[in-house]
Amino acid sequence: MTPQKRPQLTREDAVKHFTPPYATLDFEKYPLYRLSIRGYYTKSMGDPTKNDLGIYDDAIFLITKNGFWAFNANTDPTNKGVAMLVPGMYFSQGLDLHQNRYPALCQRLGEMKVWRYKSDKTRYVDTGYFGVNCHSGGKTKTNSEACETIHPMQYGEFMHVVIETVGKYGWNGICVPNLLIEY
């Protein structure tokens, strides 16, 4: 399930989310930032009373000093009970290969926090290196095990922006900060 159009947040409204306690935008230090919004389409897709899994009802925005791009995305696991990224500011991902197959933003630079679920369905926070990446999803499934995924028809454009902005510095540890929030 995919929205009919791309997310409509303005650059100005996206930038407003990057304030303390999260972070302020410093394009000299980090030339590219990502804003991920879980539940962006909650009221218009799936069950309007809850966060749905396995559909592209979220949004991801790329922000540079002079640019802004919007993408239909998924910030949830495809299936219930799998680890889910906790909202917050992360300085953990850089350009690398997802599953050694294709370029993506991969967790190589720092720890991330995920919710894990106990058998009684309560959740707790686990912090560490879990391979939480931002990669291409599938046409019929979001293909996520705690990762964030971009709709495959938009993934080429997403990676073009990432590589044009960050790739010129090489693949050695240039961080793409990500702020995940919930609507």
Side-chain angles (χ1 to χ4, degrees), residues 41-180:
Y41 291 102
T42 299
K43 302 286 187 263
S44 60
M45 291 180 67
D47 183 340
T49 65
K50 67 180 180 88
N51 179 46
D52 293 296
L53 303 182
I55 63 174
Y56 292 102
D57 63 344
D58 305 320
I60 289 181
F61 303 91
L62 293 177
I63 307 166
T64 64
K65 186 174 183 177
N66 299 309
F68 183 70
W69 298 264
F71 302 93
N72 296 113
N74 170 63
T75 65
D76 308 306
T78 301
N79 300 307
K80 195 172 188 171
V82 178
M84 178 184 285
L85 189 61
V86 173
M89 187 73 201
Y90 295 98
F91 296 88
S92 310
Q93 296 174 329
L95 191 56
D96 208 331
L97 295 177
H98 176 66
Q99 298 178 340
N100 290 318
R101 295 185 327 184
Y102 60 89
L105 290 174
C106 300
Q107 182 192 4
R108 308 280 192 267
L109 307 175
E111 294 182 333
M112 298 178 94
K113 294 179 180 181
V114 296
W115 283 310
R116 295 201 184 272
Y117 297 86
K118 298 178 185 177
S119 59
D120 66 0
K121 298 184 182 172
T122 60
R123 67 183 183 187
Y124 64 96
V125 174
D126 191 7
T127 303
Y129 286 83
F130 308 115
V132 177
N133 300 335
C134 183
H135 61 86
S136 179
K139 289 182 183 178
T140 58
K141 291 182 2 182
T142 56
N143 295 351
S144 172
E145 294 181 17
C147 296
E148 295 181 326
T149 57
I150 307 293
H151 190 276
M153 299 305 289
Q154 298 172 18
Y155 189 71
E157 178 185 354
F158 175 84
M159 283 312 301
H160 176 79
V161 173
V162 170
I163 291 170
E164 282 290 310
T165 307
V166 177
K168 63 185 167 193
Y169 299 101
W171 290 48
N172 1 337
I174 301 297
C175 179
V176 178
N178 179 36
L179 173 60
L180 171 62

Side-chain angles (χ1 to χ4, degrees), residues 14-42:
V15 167
K16 287 178 186 176
H17 292 288
F18 289 88
T19 57
Y22 295 122
T24 54
L25 297 173
D26 180 354
F27 293 111
E28 296 302 316
K29 188 170 184 179
Y30 303 107
L32 178 65
Y33 286 81
R34 195 167 86 239
L35 172 64
S36 302
I37 302 177
R38 180 176 289 144
Y40 184 86
Y41 291 102
T42 299

